[in-house]
């Protein structure tokens, strides 16, 4: 491990919408940071308001376009007016930061060896921003903590080497789960908790080969657990000790488990594609033990690389290539539509922002009463699918196609 600094990072997650505190008569807009994978709560939901209800022909105005993100499928995190991601050039992966207002590249820092693969080279994970630190995880196992303003590395470790793990076919893809004093990642067969201050080990849990999914936190009673979707099952791990609490395997496939688990209260929804399906689990806590019981299993929601989003009582997500609205508690289908084609999505201000893997971008209502689209446009993309997921932050829609970044102004005028 390379330890560049032992200064303690702030534990305050910057997720406060600065304008939300203004009286309604002064402003009806709230613009949020998006400090990690799938946003502040890892649920794909932005709290921003005051956004366009419909797009003009050709889409919303382009605020700026930039190059320099590098090759890869990493999405964006935003904090303090900066846009963060990861990308690869030549033989190296980089952590990169841009000015979110202009697209100017502010800094880039080398971050391990380039991952190469027939489905596209480079990193896959999204950085996590907490306080004045950036936590980045590369496709070849490099985990680093950097200064958010300058890109200076505080410490870095390759977890595959440190914990004798093995990479997976399409590269490590999870976005690091950063808690108050620790970072959790699957180190290629071992889930590990590392100190945020210096990267030393707190606990390790020998377990499954890594999946392509990112973990979420769920608190039940006195137990706080991280829920992982590994290569072979869904598991709950006590974040304080690494103790395995429960597992469920029916929803896993043998190719790639990618979607992030969705938590509401004591229920967890998990989905995978490759002909598999989805399950809703009910978690029961007794003392310091947790058990999981299947509520239902369905083949009507098969999330591939994109995770569904829970809005009210309904999930909205791509069941393979078909956009689907499904009731969370029962699995009943409200509607299905081909929409923009197979892709990913995010939610803000009562709208679904849709981004197909072919570069088609759409805006639709998040309602169980039917599919209603309010605009679309198309990017001219390269030979690889657009698997970097869309982000709405600071009144902008951020899209990535490999080296290219697009920022669209989606504020209502």
């Amino acid at each position: 491990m390379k330890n560049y600094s032992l200064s303690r990072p702030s534990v305050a997650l910057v997720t406060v919408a600065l304008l939300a505190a203004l009286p309604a008569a002064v402003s009806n807009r709230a613009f949020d940071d998006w400090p990690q994978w799938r946003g502040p709560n890892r649920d794909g939901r932005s709290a921003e308001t005051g956004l366009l209800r419909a797009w003009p022909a050709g889409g919303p105005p382009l605020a700026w376009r930039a190059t320099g993100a590098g090759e890869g499928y990493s999405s964006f995190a935003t904090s303090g007016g900066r846009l963060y991601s990861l990308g690869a050039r030549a033989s190296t992966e980089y952590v990169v930061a841009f000015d979110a207002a202009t697209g100017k590249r502010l800094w880039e820092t080398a971050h391990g060896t380039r991952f190469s693969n027939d489905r596209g080279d480079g990193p896959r994970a999204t950085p996590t921003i907490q306080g004045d630190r950036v936590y980045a995880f590369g496709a070849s196992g490099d985990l680093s903590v950097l200064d958010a303003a300058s890109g200076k590395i505080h410490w870095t470790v390759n977890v595959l080497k440190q914990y004798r793990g093995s990479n997976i076919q399409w590269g490590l893809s999870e976005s690091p789960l950063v808690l108050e004093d620790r970072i959790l990642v699957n180190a290629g067969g071992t889930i590990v908790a590392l100190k945020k201050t210096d990267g030393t080990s707190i606990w390790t849990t020998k377990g499954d080969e890594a999946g392509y999914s990112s973990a979420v936190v769920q608190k039940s009673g006195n137990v706080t657990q991280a829920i992982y979707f590994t290569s072979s099952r869904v598991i709950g791990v006590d974040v304080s000790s690494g103790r395995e609490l429960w597992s469920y395997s029916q929803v896993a496939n043998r190719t790639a488990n990618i979607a992030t688990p969705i938590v509401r209260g004591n229920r967890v929804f998990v989905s995978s594609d490759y002909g598999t399906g989805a399950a809703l689990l009910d978690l029961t806590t007794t003392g310091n033990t947790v058990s999981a019981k299947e509520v239902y299993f369905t083949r009507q929601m098969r999330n591939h690389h994109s995770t569904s989003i829970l809005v009210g009582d309904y999930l909205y997500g791509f069941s393979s290539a078909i956009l689907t609205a499904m009731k969370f508690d029962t699995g009943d289908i409200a509607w299905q539509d081909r929409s923009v084609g197979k892709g990913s999505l995010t939610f803000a201000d009562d709208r679904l922002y849709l981004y197909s893997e072919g570069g088609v971008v759409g805006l639709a209502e998040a309602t169980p009463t039917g599919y209603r689209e309010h605009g679309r446009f198309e990017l001219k993309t390269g030979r690889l699918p657009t698997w970097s997921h869309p982000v709405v932050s600071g009144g902008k829609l951020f899209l990535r196609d490999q080296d290219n970044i697009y920022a669209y102004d989606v504020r209502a005028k």
Side-chain angles (χ1 to χ4, degrees):
M1 180 190 305
K2 298 177 183 177
N3 192 345
Y4 293 82
S5 170
L6 296 182
S7 59
R8 184 176 180 83
S10 166
V11 299
L13 185 61
V14 185
T15 60
V16 178
L18 297 178
L19 297 181
L22 294 177
V26 177
S27 175
N28 63 354
R29 296 176 177 175
F31 296 147
D32 263 356
D33 282 340
W34 188 269
Q36 61 176 331
W37 168 245
R38 286 176 52 82
N41 300 308
R42 291 203 165 193
D43 59 6
R45 295 170 54 99
S46 169
E48 298 212 357
T49 57
L51 306 180
L52 289 169
R53 313 301 291 168
W55 291 343
L62 180 66
W64 53 261
R65 177 183 176 182
T67 58
E71 295 178 63
Y73 294 118
S74 297
S75 187
F76 300 113
T78 69
S79 180
R82 301 186 188 98
L83 187 69
Y84 300 91
S85 195
L86 295 96
R89 286 194 305 281
S91 61
T92 304
E93 292 187 358
Y94 294 85
V95 186
V96 291
F98 296 83
D99 186 320
T102 65
K104 177 183 177 182
R105 189 166 58 193
L106 301 174
W107 54 259
E108 65 175 31
T109 300
H111 185 243
T113 303
R114 174 196 188 103
F115 177 80
S116 296
N117 187 266
D118 62 352
R119 296 301 292 158
D121 295 354
R124 283 87 164 100
T126 297
T128 298
I129 317 302
Q130 198 177 91
D132 59 358
R133 297 290 186 265
V134 179
Y135 301 83
F137 193 38
S140 298
D142 295 287
L143 177 66
S144 298
V145 179
L146 306 91
D147 181 80
S150 67
K152 176 186 175 183
I153 294 179
H154 290 279
W155 59 261
T156 187
V157 60
N158 185 288
V159 297
L160 294 183
K161 295 177 181 177
Q162 183 77 12
Y163 297 98
R164 299 181 180 180
S166 300
N167 209 338
I168 47 182
Q169 183 175 354
W170 293 296
L172 292 171
S173 302
E174 74 175 280
S175 302
L177 183 62
V178 182
L179 305 178
E180 184 175 356
D181 64 346
R182 62 196 62 194
I183 310 165
L184 273 62
V185 295
N186 190 320
T190 302
I191 297 174
V192 300
L194 308 179
K195 290 183 181 179
K196 285 167 55 176
T197 51
D198 58 12
T200 55
S201 177
I202 299 174
W203 53 255
T204 64
T205 298
K206 281 289 184 184
D208 310 338
E209 179 183 82
Y212 300 88
S213 171
S214 296
V216 293
V217 169
Q218 191 266 355
K219 184 173 175 59
S220 182
N222 295 321
V223 179
T224 300
Q225 62 179 315
I227 300 174
Y228 274 84
F229 195 6
T230 72
S231 65
S232 58
R233 58 184 179 150
V234 188
I235 59 173
V237 177
D238 188 329
V239 301
S240 65
S241 65
R243 177 174 57 100
E244 183 178 316
L245 300 168
W246 58 271
S247 69
Y248 174 85
S249 60
Q250 185 176 346
V251 74
N253 66 72
R254 297 183 178 181
T255 304
N257 300 316
I258 308 172
T260 299
I262 298 170
V263 172
R264 184 174 72 177
N266 290 328
R267 290 192 160 183
V268 181
F269 178 87
V270 190
S271 179
S272 76
D273 202 355
Y274 300 96
T276 307
L280 183 67
L281 308 177
D282 190 75
L283 305 182
T284 301
T285 303
T286 305
N288 65 350
T289 65
V290 181
S291 61
K293 179 182 179 181
E294 182 186 289
V295 178
Y296 65 75
F297 182 88
T298 176
R299 298 192 186 278
Q300 297 300 306
M301 184 69 87
R302 302 183 308 280
N303 293 156
H304 180 220
H305 69 88
S306 171
T307 305
S308 297
I309 296 174
L310 179 60
V311 182
D313 292 329
Y314 285 83
L315 292 159
Y316 301 89
F318 287 94
S319 182
S320 195
I322 306 298
L323 186 62
T324 301
M326 188 179 82
K327 195 164 186 179
F328 180 80
D329 285 326
T330 66
D332 293 335
I333 300 299
W335 53 259
Q336 292 185 307
D337 195 277
R338 292 192 178 277
S339 182
V340 297
K342 182 180 179 180
S344 56
L345 72 167
T346 193
F347 170 84
D349 203 9
D350 299 324
R351 294 291 188 261
L352 302 173
Y353 290 75
L354 310 162
Y355 187 30
S356 86
E357 61 181 32
V360 180
V361 188
L363 183 71
E365 292 184 33
T367 173
T369 60
Y371 179 75
R372 290 192 283 274
E373 190 173 296
H374 293 277
R376 69 165 60 192
F377 64 97
E378 187 170 356
L379 299 179
K380 184 178 180 180
T381 60
R383 64 178 182 84
L384 294 171
T386 47
W387 282 343
S388 299
H389 293 193
V391 166
V392 174
S393 177
K396 292 184 176 64
L397 167 64
F398 295 104
L399 302 172
R400 178 176 177 180
D401 174 30
Q402 297 294 317
D403 191 55
N404 300 286
I405 305 173
Y406 302 85
Y408 291 89
D409 186 352
V410 293
R411 297 171 296 174
K413 306 304 184 207

